[in-house]
Amino acid sequence: MSEEKSRSPLERLKQYYDHEELTCSECGYEDADGEWHSETDGSRVHYYHECPRCDAVDEHTIRLSNE
Ligand SMILES: [Zn+2]
């Protein structure tokens, strides 16, 4: 029963973004209730956050390093 230990680096990264970067880079709105969405195609993870005020989208794409 140690599910929390199976947390992947990607989930930790998502948590980091959830805490650190929910402020819109366009209008400065802080989306306190927002979250990053993630999509993956197996080799990359695409995170994005859409500002509820101005609809700007902040994105991060992270390459997975699976050989
Ligand atoms: Zn905005």
Side-chain angles (χ1 to χ4, degrees):
M1 299 294 190
S2 58
E3 296 155 66
E4 76 278 2
K5 288 189 179 153
S6 64
R7 192 166 279 167
S8 74
L10 288 172
E11 286 175 78
R12 301 216 320 257
L13 195 60
K14 181 176 184 298
Q15 289 195 325
Y16 167 79
Y17 286 136
D18 279 348
H19 282 104
E20 299 299 323
E21 280 199 62
L22 283 166
T23 301
C24 177
S25 59
E26 289 294 320
C27 72
Y29 178 75
E30 191 178 335
D31 189 10
D33 294 326
E35 64 173 352
W36 289 88
H37 303 285
S38 61
E39 299 172 336
T40 181
D41 64 4
S43 61
R44 282 170 301 184
V45 183
H46 178 219
Y47 290 98
Y48 61 95
H49 168 253
E50 191 176 303
C51 176
R53 184 200 260 178
C54 74
D55 291 337
V57 177
D58 284 326
E59 307 177 272
H60 292 281
T61 302
I62 289 119
R63 265 190 85 153
L64 301 176
S65 57
N66 49 348
E67 313 287 319

